[in-house]
Amino acid sequence: MSDVFREVDEEIRHEHYKKLWDQYGPYAIAVAVVIAGGTLAYQLWTGYVQDQRAVESDRFLAAMEMVAGGQIDEAITGLEFLAEDAADGYATLARFQQAGLLLESGDKEGAVKVYDQIATMGGVDQMLRDLAKIKAAQILVEERSRSDLQARLGT
């Protein structure tokens, strides 16, 4: 007799689950598809960003190899293009390196211009912007007045 009650109970439970599935099944499938799609999109985006950083890294290393090979002008040009195209991190690094190379090659005005660009970049950490201001002022210390340097440094 208990088998009959168990079968009836299972049948009622089965009908209840079928009714729930019929009512909410499409929503459950939609949520699963959205989660899977979101996960896929995130993974694709992460891979794309990593690939971009790898390309930026290769371009930066190529410029540094040019410097080691004595091709300073080509390296400066390569760093300039990298600074325009790259994300904030490599763009900042490329600009600092570019300014240093310009200064090393005797182009003080060009180096100050690049440091001034870094100092006004919005996505760069404040400490790096301040460093760029100081480096520009350091280059100009012999050529500018004290008040001009104070104005540049914001003191």
Side-chain angles (χ1 to χ4, degrees), residues 40-138:
L40 176 64
Y42 175 77
Q43 291 298 322
L44 289 173
W45 178 253
T46 302
Y48 171 76
V49 169
Q50 288 176 347
D51 290 346
Q52 289 300 110
R53 296 303 162 265
V55 167
E56 292 168 1
S57 173
D58 291 342
R59 289 174 63 193
F60 185 80
L61 288 175
M64 294 301 94
E65 288 173 0
M66 285 181 210
V67 171
Q71 300 171 318
I72 304 297
D73 292 337
E74 292 85 354
I76 290 170
T77 303
L79 289 168
E80 185 177 352
F81 287 131
L82 178 61
E84 292 172 5
D85 298 339
D88 288 339
Y90 273 107
T92 305
L93 183 61
R95 281 194 173 94
F96 269 111
Q97 198 67 34
Q98 178 189 10
L101 291 173
L102 285 167
L103 184 60
E104 199 175 293
S105 66
D107 186 1
K108 289 182 179 181
E109 186 177 311
V112 169
K113 183 179 175 184
V114 173
Y115 283 132
D116 287 344
Q117 287 175 345
I118 297 169
T120 60
M121 289 173 58
V124 176
D125 186 75
Q126 185 63 46
M127 208 167 26
L128 293 174
R129 291 190 309 219
D130 291 344
L131 176 63
K133 286 180 188 178
I134 291 169
K135 287 183 101 30
Q138 184 180 15

